[in-house]
Amino acid sequence: MKWAFIDYENIGSLGKVELSNYERVIVFLGSKQPRLDFHKSKYDKPISMVVVQLKASQQNNLDFHLAYYLGKLDCEAQPKVSFEVVSNDTGFGPLIAHIKNNGRPCRQLKVASVPADTQKLVQSLKSKPKEKRPQKVASLRNHIASHLGLIGNDVAVQDRLDRLVAESVINISDEAIEYLC
């Protein structure tokens, strides 16, 4: 029996996780994430899911909440239950090791970031003349959200925007966008 503790703020979509593999799913949702994205996933049986929606937006707030629930549920769960922390965050390692040292099977699952969606985004932008592309950061955020199905997931949208800058697809100055492709 497995329980998943999902750092949604970090992974951006539940479509990257096979939820039917878990007896219980606890999803931690950041304060700026009003909804969950299942992408195109469909399930044949019900998923037992608890959503912990955070109210405050502070650095590492979600990670602290996830750590709290790991400890709390470690005390409450039957010994045969194994825990899986679904996050690309590197800070959970010592806590997971501590839980394992105390007898509970626990591991971290990292989900692959999907460079294909960045490629899809770049292709979408390149297919338009530069003057028809979003010219302001807010417009580009809206384009990214709608084009990649990330509406309402500000963290994932910001991640894609950061990737475009890191991969030298765009430059941002003030609120204006300069396209390098």
Side-chain angles (χ1 to χ4, degrees):
M1 185 176 340
K2 293 191 294 186
W3 291 5
F5 296 78
I6 300 177
D7 180 350
Y8 186 81
E9 190 174 58
N10 184 269
I11 67 165
S13 171
L14 292 176
K16 299 174 183 178
V17 182
E18 185 52 54
L19 298 177
S20 60
N21 289 340
Y22 300 100
E23 177 87 17
R24 188 170 181 191
V25 176
I26 301 99
V27 180
F28 297 85
L29 198 61
S31 64
K32 296 183 179 177
Q33 296 172 304
R35 63 183 72 92
L36 294 172
D37 172 24
F38 289 88
H39 197 54
K40 296 179 182 177
S41 300
K42 302 213 185 311
Y43 300 98
D44 294 333
K45 64 180 185 172
I47 305 292
S48 174
M49 181 182 297
V50 174
V51 177
V52 178
Q53 172 78 58
L54 303 181
K55 293 181 180 173
S57 177
Q58 293 175 335
Q59 187 174 8
N60 295 323
N61 190 29
L62 189 139
D63 298 342
F64 293 137
H65 280 77
L66 195 150
Y68 167 79
Y69 278 88
L70 270 172
K72 180 180 189 282
L73 295 174
D74 182 40
C75 293
E76 296 174 5
Q78 296 294 320
K80 63 183 177 180
V81 175
S82 65
F83 289 173
E84 292 187 351
V85 177
V86 182
S87 175
N88 292 330
D89 197 328
T90 58
F92 290 110
L95 177 58
I96 290 169
H98 181 73
I99 291 170
K100 285 169 63 173
N101 288 338
N102 284 292
R104 167 121 14 235
C106 186
R107 69 185 186 132
Q108 180 171 358
L109 293 178
K110 295 186 177 190
V111 295
S113 60
V114 187
D117 68 353
T118 304
Q119 272 309 107
K120 179 180 172 186
L121 183 58
V122 170
Q123 289 305 104
S124 163
L125 292 168
K126 280 184 175 181
S127 70
K128 299 176 182 176
K130 284 188 180 183
E131 63 275 1
K132 299 276 187 187
R133 298 175 190 173
Q135 301 300 311
K136 303 274 184 197
V137 173
S139 300
L140 182 55
R141 284 180 200 277
N142 290 338
H143 176 80
I144 293 169
S146 65
H147 192 72
L148 298 180
L150 298 172
I151 295 170
N153 189 342
D154 295 338
V155 173
V157 170
Q158 184 62 47
D159 177 61
R160 298 329 184 275
L161 188 62
D162 293 344
R163 281 193 216 166
L164 292 176
V165 172
E167 294 176 15
S168 299
V169 175
I170 62 169
N171 274 337
I172 300 174
S173 58
D174 294 322
E175 284 297 307
I177 305 289
E178 175 191 2
Y179 290 92
L180 306 173
C181 61

